[in-house]
């Protein structure tokens, strides 16, 4: 319940931030069982950094993050750390 409340609050705050011109469409659903991926999937961005960077660039993820989150320390720094930039 606590996670649902936090997720709804974050969704509402983002929707009110003016960052996007349409409502946030992500549904907040009840948690379901979580199954960790196999070991070879873990830390893919470290193990296959060139392939991961190719995916990030080709998918438009990097451009999206730079467009909407650059300068927003709450998200942008986390993404930069994860991407190894």
């Amino acid at each position: 319940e606590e996670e649902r409340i936090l997720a709804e609050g974050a969704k509402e705050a983002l929707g009110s931030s003016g960052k996007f011109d349409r409502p946030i469409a992500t549904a907040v659903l009840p948690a379901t069982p979580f199954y960790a991926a196999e070991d070879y999937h873990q830390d893919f961005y470290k193990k296959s950094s060139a392939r991961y960077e190719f995916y990030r660039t080709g998918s438009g993820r990097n451009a999206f993050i730079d467009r909407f989150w650059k300068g927003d320390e709450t998200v942008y720094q986390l993404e930069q750390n994860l991407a190894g930039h």
Side-chain angles (χ1 to χ4, degrees), residues 50-64:
R51 288 179 57 198
Y52 181 71
E53 191 59 37
F54 180 77
Y55 150 75
R56 283 183 60 105
T57 302
S59 70
R61 181 177 175 92
N62 285 344
F64 177 86

Side-chain angles (χ1 to χ4, degrees), residues 43-81:
D43 297 322
F44 180 76
Y45 72 100
K46 290 179 184 176
K47 295 175 184 174
S48 300
S49 59
R51 288 179 57 198
Y52 181 71
E53 191 59 37
F54 180 77
Y55 150 75
R56 283 183 60 105
T57 302
S59 70
R61 181 177 175 92
N62 285 344
F64 177 86
I65 290 169
D66 284 346
R67 179 175 174 204
F68 289 102
W69 300 111
K70 193 168 191 169
D72 184 333
E73 299 299 317
T74 60
V75 175
Y76 192 72
Q77 288 301 318
L78 174 61
E79 281 293 326
Q80 293 299 301
N81 291 338

